[in-house]
Structure formats: structure tokens, C-alpha cells
């Protein structure tokens, strides 16, 4: 790989940065950025974005789940940065983004953003209490004892009391008495009381768990709505994130930032594209936000449980009511769900609905006839694509699309992770180096040592195999940096210490610096070009005359005669387009010319685009629905 260039003009899409009137402008390169989901792992993104912004403006940003948070904040910061170049006195830009990352490191803020409902607070108390205790068995027992005394002490006392009363009744029924018991009698009574109390605890836990599970549909299938619970005044996830987006955009106290605002830059090179993954569980399909105007409906009554008042007010202004026929089931307050006028916070929240932890977002589709509206549940974008590197990709790129990947640090087989303190080098996130020559990186291999690990890998494979294979393809792997997360950090570890949070944030800066110093645009563009042309030749004419491609095989003389005879019989197709004999003859001749040209590529080995060994993993070129 050649040394990285430092001149902005060497990169595509270099544009002059806006500057105050009378000041000199400097050229700025542009890039796209994709961020992987991982709940708290997204702490790594602000520092990485800050490093990349030293050279690049962000033209297109995408993500899923927690990656959607990073994408939203980055897009808002870029929006605010463009405004600051015209007026340096304006707020916003990348400064507030760095400040938001510093706020997360404040003790208790991260876990406080996730406020459970009253019905799920008991489960939260145990889960995150055990996280704080770490791997210390004494600490775990202390947490468990405190949890039991807080939530189930009465049930244990009742079970123990009933058991003690029964024992006393039996004892006196056979002529015995408590005052004549010897030590082993008291030991037997104590064991019976302990066992019955534990059985009472188990029964109480099962009853409460069943009651909680049955109540989840009423809580939109999640423990946290993202909005404040109770009167503590502590910041909750959705209002806090909405405030950070507004501050980065320089619009604090103004109307919510929307996708239309991002795409409506004053200059063509200031238009920002933002996309986020979500999953329509009801239709079993992935979708990218924002949606087309009017594709879905929403209920203000339901959204009132999920979003702040200013967001609800804006949604009402940019939507229209949809009457519901009388006599059908469903909400009576449905309105059209916005397209480009959708607030960024709404899309971010829809991508962030981690199953079980953060509740899903309901939308509606108008039913046919008098069937009434049909509810669609939208959950975490990571369910369908946690690392959507396919966003913004074209056959040949005009600017780099970087990817920030998050991977757990694998444990050595058969070894238990030692107890470590924050600040230990082993507790610091690291960045996996790029693969030599831009080829496929070393595949992530999990150490499966038990049934839970086996089942976890089944789930991980089901959800992420497409993203994993795409990230290893030549032309993709060289622009992705994988940040290895130490055990006990990232994911659902909401109780990380400030030191652990700061270590994760610092690793993002290392990833950004790695992209700046090791990524080479010429090498990348050449790899993408040769991969594209190789696949075109393979599909059109194959590797040589003896190896016809799929198009050559299908473009038979019989099919050519069919094209030339259009208009003489019923025309194939859906009837939406008019095909006639002139079109058919022209289409036949142009296709033959294309195949003849491609055959020339393979006629002599120096001209063939199929050179060397097949890429690993082997790519395919196919049509698929846009997501």
C-alpha cells in the first residue's frame, strides 16, 4: 500500500470549506461513514468522528441501533458546522458532540438514561447490580441479598412463617414441644425453614416474572420507554439524546432537526444524507429510515409515551389526520407519518429499540375496506443489519465510505478472565489493524465452551452473517476499522465506570487516526474497479470462450428471435410499458454488441479482467430489494 496522501485535491469530492466573508477558504475532502450498533459501545464514536473531521466533511452517515445515535449526532454536528462556517458566533458543530461524550462519563449518567417501568424495575435491580459487582462472588452474593430483601422479603417471611407454623402444629400434635428440642432438632427446623423460604422466593420470582412478561405488550414490549419515570428529575434517554442532537445542530430551543433540514444545504456539497436501519417485525423485513411520505400512520396518543412535547408538536404540524371508519377497531387519532420532515430523534429512537430493553415503536397501515388499520411494530435495526455497510455504496465510489466495527475481545479457550481494575492495559479497547493489501481480514472466531455460548453464536450468526461476509470482501475490508472491546464493556453494560467509558472513547480516536494514516484512496478505488469489472465479465461472458457467463447462456438465439418479433404476438411483461418490434430489434442488437465487447475482454489474457486467484470471500452480483 502506498503512503497516504495529505493533499486534499488528491481525494474525490474535495470541496472548499465555507468561511466567513473576507476569510480564505480551505479545501475539504468528503467521506461517508457507517457505524455499527452495540448499545453502550457507541461511546467510541465521538472521538473517531472528531479525528476524521480533521480531514473530512461527512456527506452521508448511516448506522443501526447505537450506531444510529452516532450517525444522528454526527449528521447534526456536520449541519451545525456548516452553519458555523458562515457565522462563527453560532452554536453547534463538533464541539457539543465532544461535550456529549464527556457527559456520558459522568458517574451514574449512563445507567440513569435507561429508566425502567415500575413493572420491570425489580429485574433491572438484579441485572445491573450484578454488573456492578463484577466477577466477585462475595459481591454478587451481597447484591443478591440486597435485591431479595428489597423486593421479596415479605414473600420469604410469609413462606417461612407458614412452614414454621406447620412444623409447630405437627410437633405439638405428636406430644412434643419446642422447649424440649435438642440441637439437631433446631438444626432440622432451621433447614426446613430455609428450604421453604427459598421455595417461597422461587415461587414469588416466577409469579412476578410471569406478571412482567404478560404486561410487556402494554409497555410496547420493552422495559424502558426512553422517557422519564417518576419524579426524580433525572435525564432519560430520548429527551437527553434529543437535546444533544439539537445542541450539535445549533438549534437548541428551536424546532426539531429533520431529515429535510440535513438534505437542504445551501450548497450542493453541504447536503447531508442520513439513513438508519430499523426492523418491521410485523412484516418481517428490514427498512431504512426515513420512509416515503404516507407509507405509514402514527397515533399521537401512542407517541406521547415515547417522545418529548416539542417533537409531538412538530409531528402534528407536518402530518395530516386520517379518518378511521366507524365501527372498526384501532386508534381514532391516526395521522400520516412524515417522510423527509421526520425529526431525526424519531428515526434514531426507532432504530434503537433494543429488544426487551427499549420498547418498540408502533406505526399503522390503513387496512383495506372496513378491516381497520393494522399495527406494525418497529424494533432494533440491528436485528436485520447491525452494520449496514451497503448504505450509500455504488458500483464505483466517488468518495470513501468508512466503517467503524465493534467486536468483543475473545477470551483464550479454557481460561477465565482475571479480575482487572479500570486503567489496566487489558481493560483498554484496541483497534484491529487493517489487513495487508486490503484483503480479507482475519475472521472473527468465537470460543464456544458451553451451551450458552453455543446458543449465543447461533443468534449472532442468524443476525449478522450478511454484514460479516460483506465486511470481509475486498474493497470493503480496507475501509473498516474493528474496535475490540474488553470483557465487561460495551453492549448492555450500563454500569461501566468513568475510567472504562473514557478508555472506550479513547479507542475511537485511535480508530479514526488509523483510517487517516493507513487508508489509501487509489488502492481502494483500484480494488473496487477490478472487482466490479471482474464480476461484469464473469456474468456477461465468463472467464473465456469455453466458460460462457450467465447472460451469454440466457441470451439464446430463441430469445433473440423473441425480441425481434415483438408486436406480432402478446408482449411479455406487466403491461405498464409499451414494447414494440422496433424496440425489440434495437434491444437485441445492443445486447449482442455489449456481449461482443465483453467477449473481447476475455479473448486475450492481458485484456481479461479475471486475473489471479478468486477474491475471498467469492463475490456475486445480483439484484436485491433496496434496504
Amino acid at each position: 500500500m502506498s503512503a497516504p496522501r495529505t493533499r486534499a485535491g488528491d481525494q474525490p469530492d474535495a470541496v472548499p470549506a465555507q468561511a466567513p466573508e473576507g476569510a480564505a477558504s480551505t479545501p475539504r475532502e468528503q467521506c461517508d461513514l457507517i457505524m455499527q450498533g452495540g448499545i453502550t459501545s457507541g461511546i467510541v464514536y465521538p472521538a473517531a468522528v472528531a479525528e476524521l473531521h480533521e480531514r473530512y466533511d461527512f456527506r452521508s452517515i448511516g448506522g443501526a441501533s447505537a450506531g444510529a445515535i452516532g450517525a444522528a449526532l454526527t449528521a447534526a454536528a456536520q449541519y451545525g458546522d456548516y452553519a458555523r462556517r458562515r457565522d462563527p458566533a453560532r452554536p453547534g458543530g463538533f464541539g457539543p458532540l465532544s461535550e456529549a461524550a464527556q457527559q456520558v462519563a459522568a458517574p451514574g449518567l449512563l445507567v440513569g438514561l435507561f429508566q425502567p417501568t415500575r413493572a420491570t424495575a425489580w429485574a433491572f435491580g438484579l441485572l445491573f447490580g450484578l454488573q456492578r459487582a463484577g466477577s466477585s462472588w462475595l459481591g454478587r452474593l451481597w447484591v443478591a441479598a440486597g435485591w431479595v430483601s428489597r423486593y421479596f422479603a415479605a414473600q420469604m417471611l410469609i413462606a417461612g412463617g407458614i412452614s414454621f407454623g406447620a412444623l409447630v402444629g405437627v410437633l405439638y400434635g405428636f406430644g412434643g414441644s419446642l422447649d424440649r428440642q435438642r440441637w439437631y432438632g433446631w438444626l432440622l427446623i432451621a433447614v426446613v425453614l430455609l428450604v421453604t423460604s427459598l421455595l417461597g422466593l422461587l415461587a414469588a420470582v416466577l409469579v412476578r416474572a410471569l406478571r412482567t412478561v404478560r404486561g410487556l405488550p402494554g409497555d410496547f414490549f420493552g422495559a424502558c420507554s426512553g422517557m422519564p419515570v417518576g419524579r426524580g428529575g433525572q435525564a432519560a434517554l430520548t429527551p437527553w439524546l434529543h437535546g444533544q442532537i439539537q445542541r450539535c445542530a445549533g438549534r437548541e430551543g428551536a424546532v426539531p432537526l429533520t431529515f429535510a433540514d440535513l438534505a437542504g444545504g445551501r450548497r450542493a456539497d453541504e447536503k447531508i444524507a442520513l439513513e438508519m436501519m430499523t426492523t418491521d417485525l410485523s412484516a418481517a423485513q428490514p427498512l431504512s429510515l426515513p420512509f416515503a411520505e404516507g407509507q405509514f400512520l402514527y397515533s399521537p396518543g401512542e407517541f406521547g409515551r415515547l417522545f418529548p412535547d416539542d417533537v409531538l408538536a412538530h409531528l402534528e404540524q407536518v402530518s395530516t389526520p386520517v379518518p378511521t371508519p366507524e365501527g372498526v377497531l384501532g386508534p381514532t387519532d391516526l395521522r400520516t407519518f412524515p417522510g423527509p420532515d421526520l425529526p431525526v430523534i424519531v428515526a434514531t429512537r426507532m432504530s434503537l429499540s433494543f429488544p426487551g430493553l427499549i420498547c418498540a415503536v408502533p406505526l399503522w397501515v390503513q387496512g383495506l375496506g372496513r378491516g381497520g388499520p393494522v399495527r406494525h411494530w418497529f424494533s432494533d435495526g440491528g436485528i436485520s443489519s447491525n452494520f449496514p455497510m451497503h448504505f450509500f455504496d455504488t458500483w464505483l465510489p466517488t468518495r470513501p465510505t468508512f466503517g467503524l466495527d465493534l467486536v468483543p475481545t475473545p477470551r483464550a479457550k479454557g481460561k477465565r478472565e482475571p479480575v482487572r481494575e479500570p486503567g489496566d492495559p487489558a481493560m483498554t479497547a484496541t483497534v484491529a489493524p487493517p489487513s495487508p493489501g486490503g484483503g480479507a481480514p482475519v475472521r472473527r472466531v468465537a470460543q464456544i465452551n458451553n451451551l450458552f455460548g453455543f446458543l449465543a453464536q447461533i443468534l449472532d450468526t442468524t443476525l449478522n452473517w450478511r454484514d460479516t461476509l460483506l465486511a470481509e470482501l475486498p474493497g470493503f475490508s480496507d475501509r473498516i476499522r474493528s474496535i475490540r472491546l474488553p470483557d465487561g464493556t460495551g453492549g448492555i453494560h450500563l454500569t461501566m465506570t468513568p475510567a472504562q467509558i473514557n478508555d472506550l472513547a479513547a479507542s475511537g480516536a485511535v480508530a479514526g487516526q488509523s483510517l487517516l494514516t493507513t487508508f489509501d484512496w487509489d488502492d481502494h478505488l483500484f480494488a473496487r474497479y477490478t472487482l466490479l469489472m471482474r464480476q461484469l465479465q464473469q456474468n456477461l461472458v465468463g472467464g473465456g470462450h469455453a466458460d460462457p457467463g450467465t447472460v451469454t447462456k440466457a441470451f439464446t438465439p430463441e430469445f433473440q428471435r423473441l425480441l425481434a418479433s415483438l408486436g406480432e404476438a402478446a408482449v411479455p411483461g406487466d403491461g405498464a410499458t409499451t414494447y414494440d418490434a422496433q424496440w425489440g430489434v434495437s434491444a437485441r442488437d445492443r445486447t449482442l454488441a455489449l456481449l461482443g465487447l465483453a467477449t473481447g475482454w476475455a479473448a486475450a489474457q492481458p485484456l481479461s479482467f479475471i486475473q489471479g486467484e478468486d477474491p475471498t470471500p467469492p463475490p456475486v452480483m445480483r439484484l436485491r430489494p433496496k434496504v
Side-chain angles (χ1 to χ4, degrees):
M1 180 178 290
S2 59
R5 289 179 299 276
T6 57
R7 294 185 296 110
D10 287 338
Q11 289 279 2
D13 284 357
V15 297
Q18 297 293 320
E21 187 174 352
S25 62
T26 56
R28 294 282 296 175
E29 303 168 29
Q30 292 190 333
C31 74
D32 300 338
L33 183 62
I34 305 296
M35 289 172 266
Q36 190 193 45
I39 313 182
T40 64
S41 307
I43 293 168
V44 306
Y45 292 138
V49 167
E51 286 291 332
L52 289 173
H53 187 62
E54 292 294 322
R55 179 182 301 176
Y56 297 100
D57 284 334
F58 300 100
R59 186 68 176 274
S60 303
I61 310 105
S65 192
I69 295 180
L73 292 173
T74 302
Q78 185 66 72
Y79 175 89
D81 188 66
Y82 283 142
R84 281 178 54 82
R85 293 179 194 177
R86 291 185 291 271
D87 180 7
R90 287 193 56 169
F94 289 90
L97 177 58
S98 299
E99 294 170 4
Q102 295 170 4
Q103 287 184 30
V104 174
L109 176 65
L110 183 60
V111 68
L113 294 177
F114 296 83
Q115 300 180 19
T117 62
R118 292 184 59 185
T120 59
W122 68 279
F124 255 63
L126 179 62
L127 174 62
F128 297 113
L130 293 177
Q131 279 191 6
R132 291 189 184 94
S135 58
S136 168
W137 282 105
L138 183 60
R140 291 178 178 178
L141 288 175
W142 181 257
V143 167
W147 176 74
V148 168
S149 64
R150 179 176 181 181
Y151 292 103
F152 299 101
Q155 291 89 333
M156 291 187 67
L157 288 175
I158 291 173
I162 293 175
S163 174
F164 183 74
L167 283 174
V168 171
V170 171
L171 180 64
Y172 279 87
F174 283 91
S177 64
L178 290 176
D179 56 354
R180 293 199 299 268
Q181 291 299 314
R182 299 190 179 186
W183 67 269
Y184 49 82
W186 286 109
L187 177 61
L188 178 61
I189 291 174
V191 170
V192 172
L193 289 178
L194 177 61
V195 171
T196 53
S197 297
L198 291 177
L199 290 175
L201 171 63
L202 178 61
V205 170
L206 290 176
V207 169
R208 179 165 287 194
L210 179 61
R211 185 183 304 165
T212 300
V213 170
R214 292 182 61 182
L216 279 179
D219 290 329
F220 293 173
F221 301 98
C224 302
S225 69
M227 295 295 286
V229 176
R231 301 180 180 179
Q234 190 172 15
L237 178 63
T238 303
W240 181 86
L241 180 58
H242 176 47
Q244 299 304 323
I245 292 173
Q246 294 295 98
R247 275 188 281 276
C248 289
R251 299 173 61 134
E252 195 169 5
V255 297
L257 181 70
T258 67
F259 287 85
D261 295 328
L262 296 174
R266 294 190 180 183
R267 297 165 37 131
D269 51 57
E270 291 185 0
K271 297 181 184 298
I272 303 168
L274 175 64
E275 286 193 36
M276 302 173 182
M277 287 296 304
T278 187
T279 304
D280 183 351
L281 293 180
S282 301
Q285 63 178 345
L287 293 174
S288 61
L289 290 154
F291 301 143
E293 187 79 33
Q295 183 177 355
F296 291 97
L297 310 173
Y298 82 97
S299 165
E302 293 176 335
F303 268 43
R305 300 168 56 180
L306 303 175
F307 297 102
D309 291 339
D310 61 332
V311 175
L312 297 174
H314 176 81
L315 286 173
E316 184 173 356
Q317 290 179 358
V318 298
S319 64
T320 56
V322 177
T324 303
E326 295 184 4
V328 300
L329 298 177
T332 58
D333 61 346
L334 291 178
R335 304 179 70 91
T336 56
F337 191 67
D341 288 323
L342 181 71
V344 170
I345 181 60
V346 175
T348 307
R349 177 62 181 78
M350 291 179 65
S351 182
L352 188 61
S353 303
F354 188 81
L357 178 62
I358 306 174
C359 68
V361 176
L363 292 180
W364 296 80
V365 172
Q366 195 68 278
L368 299 177
R370 299 183 61 85
V374 179
R375 177 149 52 184
H376 286 236
W377 287 105
F378 286 85
S379 191
D380 195 274
I383 295 173
S384 46
S385 181
N386 204 35
F387 191 30
M389 279 301 295
H390 60 276
F391 278 174
F392 320 123
D393 256 348
T394 58
W395 279 13
L396 278 181
T398 59
R399 56 182 176 265
T401 298
F402 297 126
L404 294 174
D405 188 19
L406 305 170
V407 298
T409 300
R411 296 183 183 181
K413 184 177 181 181
K415 293 185 179 180
R416 177 174 294 180
E417 185 74 15
V419 178
R420 303 185 188 277
E421 296 295 330
D424 187 313
M427 292 295 291
T428 303
T430 58
V431 177
S435 54
V442 177
R443 186 184 295 270
R444 302 199 300 248
V445 178
Q447 299 298 322
I448 302 176
N449 302 317
N450 52 53
L451 178 61
F452 293 106
F454 185 80
L455 296 177
Q457 282 305 113
I458 291 177
L459 179 62
D460 182 67
T461 303
T462 302
L463 297 179
N464 299 318
W465 68 269
R466 297 174 184 84
D467 296 337
T468 300
L469 287 178
L470 185 63
E472 294 177 353
L473 195 67
F476 285 79
S477 58
D478 63 323
R479 53 193 168 109
I480 295 173
R481 293 298 175 269
S482 296
I483 302 172
R484 294 171 177 164
L485 307 175
D487 188 50
T489 63
I492 63 170
H493 291 90
L494 305 182
T495 58
M496 290 185 292
T497 65
Q500 289 174 311
I501 293 174
N502 289 329
D503 284 343
L504 283 183
S507 69
V510 176
Q513 189 62 35
S514 174
L515 285 169
L516 291 179
T517 56
T518 62
F519 176 79
D520 187 273
W521 171 252
D522 287 340
D523 288 352
H524 173 73
L525 187 59
F526 182 76
R528 295 287 295 274
Y529 169 75
T530 53
L531 185 65
L532 169 66
M533 299 306 293
R534 183 189 189 105
Q535 289 303 110
L536 281 175
Q537 178 180 325
Q538 188 69 54
N539 283 276
L540 290 174
V541 297
H545 294 296
D547 180 26
T550 54
V551 175
T552 301
K553 291 178 182 178
F555 200 67
T556 60
E558 292 79 11
F559 184 68
Q560 295 175 36
R561 286 193 292 271
L562 172 65
L563 288 174
S565 63
L566 289 180
E568 300 176 5
V571 179
D574 57 7
T577 306
T578 301
Y579 298 106
D580 54 22
Q582 181 180 1
W583 181 93
V585 171
S586 178
R588 179 201 62 188
D589 293 343
R590 290 181 183 182
T591 306
L592 288 173
L594 175 63
L595 294 177
L597 177 63
T599 301
W601 301 343
Q605 186 61 24
L607 299 179
S608 175
F609 288 105
I610 301 179
Q611 302 282 347
E613 299 293 330
D614 289 335
T616 302
V620 295
M621 183 178 286
R622 63 178 56 167
L623 296 176
R624 63 167 179 78
K626 183 183 184 302
V627 177

